[in-house]
Amino acid sequence: MSSQNAFQKTASSNFTIDQLLNFYDPFIGGTDHQGRRFDDIISWPADRLESTHDFIQLLFPLPEPSQSAPTSPVLTVEATRYFRGHLGLKDNMKLALVCMMSFYGFQVDWSPCGTVVTIVPKNVQNPYVRWYVDSSHHHRRITRIIRSLRVLGLLNESTTVWTAFRDAIEERGGDLDNSTVKIWKRAYTDDLQYPPMAQNPGPAWLSVLQAEDLEAAEAGVAKDGNAGAAPNAPGAPGPPGDPRPHGTRRQREAPGPPGNSNLDMGDASTDQVRPGKRRRTDVNIY
């Protein structure tokens, strides 16, 4: 069976890509490899979301194998295109995002056009206790969420997630481990063919999808069905007169605000492409 077949079994799992799509489909309501349904998982209490480690790969699938759940399905080009064209699947992905962003301490709302938006909570003590630490498996989960949203065509939501975490860190003085923030930004800005911290590129069809997203953004039609691409989304043009690249392979961060030595997330208007080997950290795809 071809490795590009959307219904191929993963290397060491009985849970297939078509079962993943059925699991995500609101009209089918299929189960995962443990008999769990999508609606069940997004209704879990916080302690179960914290302690269970094989669900995030289903809610936010990727075209790369997971390091912590290597038997989880890996997206093929056919499955990815099917997902991108299925409004029911993408609506469910937005519900999964609402679940996770609420879990991570954000207030979640919806824009008039149906895009998930997040709000940094005010006057709430320690709202980010689960992820605002120097080392956490949640950092890798967040990397996965940002990249999965981009791969599956929810560009506005990918922008929302990146900016929500960036703004939350800035509001608290930017003292989160700098390498963590850089990995998140790479997940948001790098060419889709290059997963964060990967030594080698992924399948070429990811770059094809990104080129299609760029063409759609330039035409003012977002791939997720919203009116226009999210401002400064990966692959989307910046404001008039803004020459910065988006989604380039080696996009890196420029120095942060003056006087802030801890927060080096970069000024989006001055992102630089910096050559050199990627530095390995423990902030990879979960």
Side-chain angles (χ1 to χ4, degrees):
M1 186 176 292
S2 168
S3 63
Q4 294 299 311
N5 192 322
F7 302 98
Q8 176 203 16
K9 288 186 178 182
T10 56
S12 55
S13 172
N14 291 323
F15 191 53
T16 62
I17 286 294
D18 61 315
Q19 288 174 314
L20 173 68
L21 298 176
N22 289 341
F23 164 82
Y24 235 109
D25 194 319
F27 300 104
I28 297 176
T31 60
D32 72 355
H33 58 298
Q34 294 194 39
R36 303 172 301 193
R37 298 187 186 276
F38 175 88
D39 288 344
D40 297 334
I41 292 176
I42 65 170
S43 300
W44 282 354
D47 59 348
R48 190 168 181 185
L49 292 173
E50 175 71 45
S51 62
T52 307
H53 301 286
D54 65 347
F55 75 92
I56 197 73
Q57 300 83 5
L58 305 179
L59 295 188
F60 298 95
L62 287 174
E64 302 87 37
S66 166
Q67 295 187 357
S68 63
T71 61
S72 58
V74 176
L75 289 174
T76 62
V77 59
E78 290 87 355
T80 302
R81 287 195 177 278
Y82 180 81
F83 201 110
R84 281 173 163 240
H86 196 300
L87 292 179
L89 270 62
K90 290 196 292 186
D91 283 347
N92 261 359
M93 193 171 205
K94 293 177 183 180
L95 292 177
L97 182 59
V98 169
C99 168
M100 294 308 298
M101 293 304 282
S102 299
F103 173 69
Y104 286 135
F106 294 94
Q107 297 175 12
V108 184
D109 205 346
W110 301 85
S111 73
C113 61
T115 301
V116 177
V117 296
T118 59
I119 304 167
V120 175
K122 304 292 185 182
N123 303 320
V124 178
Q125 186 175 6
N126 298 326
Y128 308 131
V129 63
R130 292 186 176 88
W131 62 270
Y132 205 93
V133 293
D134 280 345
S135 180
S136 171
H137 67 279
H138 292 298
H139 296 167
R140 299 189 292 278
R141 286 183 174 185
I142 293 164
T143 304
R144 167 176 284 273
I145 291 170
I146 294 171
R147 177 164 171 77
S148 179
L149 290 168
R150 287 186 64 201
V151 169
L152 293 173
L154 282 81
L155 306 183
N156 289 324
E157 280 71 23
S158 178
T159 298
T160 288
V161 174
W162 157 244
T163 56
F165 283 102
R166 180 199 64 193
D167 292 350
I169 294 166
E170 287 180 338
E171 185 175 272
R172 280 154 181 76
D175 57 350
L176 188 69
D177 178 58
N178 195 38
S179 63
T180 299
V181 182
K182 287 185 175 182
I183 296 300
W184 292 344
K185 188 172 184 182
R186 291 174 192 173
Y188 175 65
T189 60
D190 275 9
D191 190 307
L192 278 182
Q193 194 177 356
Y194 291 83
M197 306 312 298
Q199 294 284 350
N200 300 306
W205 56 263
L206 289 166
S207 288
V208 175
L209 290 180
Q210 184 171 358
E212 293 173 358
D213 289 339
L214 175 59
E215 182 179 355
E218 290 174 341
V221 180
K223 298 293 284 185
D224 63 359
N226 296 329
N232 306 331
D242 182 355
R244 66 180 178 272
H246 287 271
T248 55
R249 173 183 175 182
R250 299 279 186 185
Q251 207 162 39
R252 292 294 181 265
E253 292 71 29
N260 188 343
S261 60
N262 294 321
L263 183 60
D264 185 18
M265 291 186 295
D267 180 347
S269 65
T270 58
D271 284 346
Q272 301 295 318
V273 179
R274 198 178 299 168
K277 187 175 181 180
R278 294 169 185 261
R279 182 170 66 87
R280 282 198 173 276
T281 72
D282 64 348
V283 190
N284 44 37
I285 297 295
Y286 191 67

